[in-house]
Amino acid sequence: MFNAGDIVKVLVPNAVNSGYDYRLMGNARRGALVRVSIMNRPYVGVIIGPGDGKIAPEKIKPVMDILDIAMSDADIEWIIRMAEWTMMAPGAALRMILNVPDAFNPPRIEPLYTIDIPPKTRMTDARMAVADAFAANDNDAMTASDVQNIARVSAAVVRTMIKGGMLKPVAARPVTSAADYVSQYHDCGHITLNPQQAVAAAEIGRHIDSGGFSVHLLDGVTGSGKTQVYFDAVWRAYAAGKSVLLMMPEIALTAQFMNRFRARFGAAPVVWHSNLTAARRRDIWRGVAQGDIRVVVGTRSALFLPWQNLGLIVIDEEHDGSYKQEDMGNYHARDMAILRAKIAGFPVVLASATPSAETLENVARGKYFGVRLTSRYGGAQMPQIETIDMRGVKCAAYDVPDSEPGQRPGMLAPQMCDAMRQTMDLGHQVMLFINRRGFAPIVQCRHCGWAAMCPDCSAGMTYHKRVGKLICHICGRTAPMVTTCPDCGLDVTMRGAGLERIQEEVMAKFPGVRTALVSSDTMMSRAALERLVDQMESGDVDVVIGTQILAKGHHFPNLTLVGVVDADMGLFGTDFRAAEHTFQQLFQVAGRAGRGDAPGRVLVQTYQPEHPVMHAICTGNRDEFMATDMASRRIAQMPPYGQLIAIIIEGQKETVLQKFCADLAAAAPALQGGKIMGPIAAGVYQIRNWYRMRFLVSGGMTANLQPVVRHWMAKVRVPTNVRVKIDVNPQSFM
Ligand code: ADP
Ligand code: ZN
């Protein structure tokens, strides 16, 4: 406890600071949130300890206000340890928690609108996005800036919709508060776990009851009922008066999931993601801070809510790439959740059908507990998985001009087409998976070699037929499609196939077929994804064609054939996790088939049927595959048998960048038991007109790399127009 007149250290949420001294004007404890000012700008910060007395007492400014919200000692410790680990400033780590500035102010008074789209209105993509923004907030009234931010549309779109009466001003201002989001939950689902589930739930439950830190891998095949097992854990922690965080990838936050939650606990959970209105963010943040909201289902950012008395974190699809944040501070939400649990002393449950190598290794070493569910719930069969050897198949590839006589280009092998026909004849549904958006990834002149490149990135542009444009998949820049080569004037060729082209092929081969496309282009929001789920359930779609968005969490009982169009695509990655990620993706996609009564079938088109990934997919032998993959990583000292820190240096001027990299290389420390590689050009050398170089620091499991890098970076001055990004345990090597 600090008293009036004491000098305290206050950490404020900005990217550079690690705390400043202020004088208290009242009593407050460590962890209390306070208002202070820095250069006349107001901030809400947190008291992290006594001041260090480095500033002359007469220069110390007062704490202006003490709020009635406080963080625990464990939370402060967590912020500091997180900053050390990720190498961000403590203020940057704190900013992730205090990033809801509205939470400390009275509700803002701004005009609110509801949506009311008259029938027969032409629904542009932008209007659809606006409708979906409302849907993501249970159709609450929202401000114009909410609409703009969430739907990612221009102010002009919003203005037109207001003028056209599609957005209607709300007369009386509904006042919301945290209380609107508080529910009482009951274990009313009357679920009986099967024997394997019961063993898993009991093991996790024992640790929840006894308290203390532990991590449990709930490792179960797709459809084994992991959800009901971790719901059991949720209930135990909640009933014991604790708060519970359930994290999932954004696209898994489906109505299907919410309905299951409601069926089990009698009320819907509070949902947290990046598309909430400012008012909702404010209310939920406050409700959590006050300890009134005790159960939240959300994306990785929900970890940074001001939790009170947190007693359990469940991380569904723990292997999922979306838990790693790469811009605005690099952190891995799974690892930071485990750190939080370790400091505060409570259990974490990681659920997956395809756990990451890191997690499997932690189970093998006995650091995490592992529980397994080896069969699907209720006796549904695992699908039968076969490869189609594409070598010599006469349909192959779109790298011939469409006009070439005598060729019927396509990507679907005859066996695939036969299986699709049989499936549709039975009235069942087909899913085709290709992890490539757009129509054709390469637009090129076959005569002079010219190719459509993004002017700002070192990347080719993809032709998107739906919108009739070329799009850069790195920066999103668009350009008009070209049909003749700008260099030699001859016709250009479209090479390779994305999902739009597969859709054309399906429509040509199966006249009258009803298709749906699923990618981030067509599924801008979860609401759009929900529409697809409805269409699938009501049988309005025969063939759904999509990217990895399809691989997650959906349960389509009438889907019995999954076709993987190009299984080899992921294997060409240079990243040491390429095989692991390809395996996870294919395994998850395959898991979509045959979840109802009818058995499922999966066909995988590949030019490398002998590849260990394909072999493992077909035999379902995940453990053997992961063991082989991990053995090679052990030899190479790659994670989980070594540590990596990537340093990405970006510059607007190539000469300045190269000079700085040379300086950095010259200042590189000698590393005991590790090495520093680089500088080398980054995988994508130019993004949005910034040139990019990389260093990679590697070391063994016990190496303490962060201090080495910190010391190294302190030796150089970063020139203007150069930025340095540090990525601890990088997942992307772009
Ligand atoms: P997973 O998440 O492991 O892929 P799910 O949790 O989606 O599997 O379960 C698959 C299906 O089995 C779901 O429809 C679910 O409702 C059902 N299910 C699983 N366990 C039970 C149970 N103990 N009682 C009733 N239904 C269950
Ligand atoms: Zn670009």
Side-chain angles (χ1 to χ4, degrees):
M1 194 70 172
F2 300 102
N3 302 310
D6 287 353
I7 311 289
V8 290
K9 187 168 283 299
V10 175
L11 183 65
V12 297
N14 74 23
V16 292
N17 91 98
S18 45
Y20 303 113
D21 285 4
Y22 288 88
R23 186 184 308 280
L24 265 183
M25 310 305 278
N27 299 341
R29 69 172 182 82
R30 181 176 192 244
L33 299 193
V34 293
R35 285 183 205 273
V36 295
S37 81
I38 299 175
M39 317 246 270
N40 291 323
R41 277 197 57 192
Y43 282 91
V44 170
V46 58
I47 299 177
I48 55 171
D52 54 21
K54 280 189 197 141
I55 306 174
E58 65 276 11
K59 285 201 179 150
I60 294 180
K61 284 185 281 181
V63 165
M64 295 182 301
D65 193 11
I66 300 165
L67 306 180
D68 59 357
I69 298 173
M71 288 182 182
S72 64
D73 283 341
D75 287 346
I76 295 173
E77 169 92 15
W78 177 54
I79 290 166
I80 290 168
R81 296 259 298 270
M82 180 159 54
E84 269 165 21
W85 173 259
T86 60
M87 302 192 66
M88 49 178 122
L94 178 68
R95 187 169 58 184
M96 298 200 285
I97 299 181
L98 300 184
N99 71 347
V100 184
D102 283 350
F104 311 110
N105 303 319
R108 267 194 273 172
I109 307 298
E110 273 178 66
L112 291 170
Y113 299 89
T114 52
I115 190 160
D116 180 12
I117 296 192
K120 295 204 192 126
T121 308
R122 199 174 57 88
M123 284 309 272
T124 57
D125 281 357
R127 286 173 187 173
M128 204 68 137
V130 170
D132 291 348
F134 277 89
N137 288 276
D138 297 334
N139 287 315
D140 275 4
M142 51 172 103
T143 65
S145 60
D146 282 333
V147 176
Q148 244 181 285
N149 294 341
I150 299 170
R152 295 188 194 89
V153 295
S154 66
V157 167
V158 177
R159 269 199 307 274
T160 325
M161 289 183 76
I162 294 174
K163 246 194 229 140
M166 286 174 265
L167 294 177
K168 287 200 164 44
V170 183
R173 215 196 120 74
V175 178
T176 60
S177 74
D180 299 334
Y181 299 92
V182 179
S183 298
Q184 292 303 318
Y185 300 106
H186 309 276
D187 193 5
C188 53
H190 310 293
I191 289 290
T192 314
L193 298 178
N194 69 23
Q196 259 192 347
Q197 290 176 326
V199 169
E203 155 113 15
I204 298 167
R206 203 158 44 81
H207 285 85
I208 292 176
D209 293 347
S210 64
F213 170 66
S214 56
V215 183
H216 304 267
L217 171 62
L218 176 57
D219 176 355
V221 296
T222 52
S224 58
K226 296 183 284 295
T227 316
Q228 293 300 350
V229 174
Y230 67 64
F231 275 178
D232 222 71
V234 168
W235 175 249
R236 276 182 198 244
Y238 175 82
K242 307 280 188 185
S243 300
V244 179
L245 164 60
L246 222 158
M247 286 202 280
M248 23 180 71
E250 171 128 25
I251 49 181
L253 288 170
T254 57
Q256 248 177 15
F257 179 84
M258 302 310 153
N259 290 339
R260 285 166 75 178
F261 188 99
R262 196 182 299 114
R264 174 95 189 236
F265 299 120
V270 172
V271 181
W272 180 267
H273 51 72
S274 50
N275 292 327
L276 301 177
T277 63
R280 209 170 251 253
R281 291 172 76 77
R282 174 182 188 278
D283 292 341
I284 295 174
W285 197 96
R286 292 175 66 91
V288 172
Q290 286 150 3
D292 296 333
I293 294 176
R294 291 205 284 123
V295 182
V296 174
V297 177
T299 54
R300 63 177 183 226
S301 61
L303 177 61
F304 298 96
L305 283 166
W307 288 102
Q308 304 295 320
N309 199 16
L310 195 52
L312 173 69
I313 299 179
V314 176
I315 305 177
D316 202 356
E317 311 285 358
E318 71 87 28
H319 63 280
D320 195 81
S322 72
Y323 288 119
K324 180 76 195 288
Q325 161 142 324
E326 313 236 281
D327 44 324
M328 297 282 291
N330 276 291
Y331 68 86
H332 200 300
R334 176 193 63 214
D335 299 348
M336 295 306 109
I338 291 170
L339 180 65
R340 189 168 198 168
K342 195 171 184 176
I343 294 168
F346 60 79
V348 175
V349 174
L350 309 176
S352 178
T354 52
S356 62
E358 283 77 2
T359 296
L360 289 173
E361 179 59 17
N362 279 319
V363 173
R365 280 194 212 143
K367 286 173 71 180
Y368 297 177
F369 297 96
V371 282
R372 287 194 92 143
L373 305 177
T374 53
S375 57
R376 284 189 159 177
Y377 179 80
Q381 297 276 303
M382 289 306 282
Q384 191 198 346
I385 307 175
E386 301 147 56
T387 52
I388 298 177
D389 187 346
M390 295 298 281
R391 291 169 299 194
V393 171
K394 277 282 181 313
C395 72
Y398 277 103
D399 41 14
V400 290
D402 297 80
S403 51
E404 200 150 296
Q407 280 268 14
R408 257 197 87 204
M411 289 284 283
L412 302 173
Q415 292 108 293
M416 183 70 89
C417 295
D418 291 347
M420 289 171 68
R421 162 84 54 223
Q422 285 163 16
T423 306
M424 286 189 270
D425 284 349
L426 289 171
H428 293 171
Q429 291 163 316
V430 178
M431 176 185 282
L432 293 179
F433 174 76
I434 177 154
N435 215 358
R436 193 180 265 150
R437 298 187 287 130
F439 188 83
I442 302 169
V443 175
Q444 198 175 29
C445 172
R446 292 229 302 167
H447 311 281
C448 74
W450 171 90
M453 300 293 294
C454 175
D456 299 336
C457 305
S458 20
M461 293 184 96
T462 299
Y463 174 47
H464 284 242
K465 196 166 190 172
R466 220 182 122 254
V467 292
K469 283 183 186 147
L470 294 167
I471 301 180
C472 170
H473 284 187
I474 303 279
C475 72
R477 185 188 171 109
T478 61
M481 177 55 181
V482 287
T483 47
T484 52
C485 173
D487 285 356
C488 69
L490 294 169
D491 284 356
V492 298
T493 311
M494 285 178 275
R495 298 176 54 184
L499 76 171
E500 292 179 356
R501 201 166 205 175
I502 303 299
Q503 182 186 35
E504 270 194 7
E505 184 178 340
V506 170
M507 294 201 297
K509 285 181 172 153
F510 302 94
V513 70
R514 296 163 306 167
T515 61
L517 283 189
V518 181
S519 76
S520 51
D521 299 316
T522 57
M523 298 289 137
M524 311 264 285
S525 65
R526 273 188 319 283
L529 203 53
E530 302 293 359
R531 280 194 291 276
L532 172 87
V533 172
D534 287 346
Q535 283 181 311
M536 287 291 285
E537 281 176 348
S538 55
D540 294 341
V541 174
D542 304 310
V543 181
V544 55
I545 304 156
T547 60
Q548 66 202 16
I549 293 188
L550 275 184
K552 301 274 155 59
H554 303 286
H555 191 73
F556 302 123
N558 203 28
L559 177 75
T560 56
L561 175 66
V562 168
V564 177
V565 177
D566 184 358
D568 305 337
M569 209 147 71
L571 294 176
F572 298 121
T574 49
D575 162 356
F576 68 93
R577 289 192 184 90
E580 177 190 352
H581 286 165
T582 304
F583 176 81
Q584 285 166 339
Q585 213 163 60
L586 295 179
F587 198 81
Q588 294 279 350
V589 178
R592 299 302 116 214
R595 290 174 61 115
D597 299 331
R601 188 172 176 205
V602 181
L603 293 175
V604 179
Q605 298 191 160
T606 173
Y607 286 87
Q608 307 176 57
E610 303 84 17
H611 194 287
V613 169
M614 302 310 152
H615 186 73
I617 288 289
C618 291
T619 55
N621 202 338
R622 184 196 86 194
D623 292 341
E624 189 187 304
F625 168 74
M626 287 305 287
T628 316
D629 191 54
M630 286 163 72
S632 59
R633 291 199 214 176
R634 187 192 290 271
I635 293 164
Q637 275 212 359
M638 281 290 146
Y641 305 101
Q643 303 178 65
L644 296 176
I645 296 181
I647 301 165
I648 302 111
I649 327 254
E650 301 178 324
Q652 283 178 307
K653 281 219 177 86
E654 232 177 332
T655 45
V656 178
L657 174 70
Q658 295 303 346
K659 164 84 172 49
F660 178 65
C661 286
D663 292 349
L664 255 186
L671 202 59
Q672 295 286 320
K675 55 181 188 260
I676 297 179
M677 292 161 277
I680 58 158
V684 183
Y685 180 51
Q686 204 183 358
I687 295 183
R688 291 191 172 88
N689 270 324
W690 286 72
Y691 298 91
R692 309 169 70 246
M693 300 291 292
R694 293 177 72 102
F695 286 90
L696 192 63
V697 183
S698 72
M701 272 329 281
T702 53
N704 193 0
L705 298 179
Q706 280 90 339
V708 176
V709 173
R710 200 172 286 125
H711 186 240
W712 177 20
M713 293 299 132
K715 286 198 278 190
V716 290
R717 252 201 68 230
V718 181
T720 42
N721 296 331
V722 168
R723 53 192 186 204
V724 175
K725 292 180 181 163
I726 297 181
D727 188 358
V728 177
N729 195 3
Q731 300 284 316
S732 152
F733 293 82
M734 200 167 79

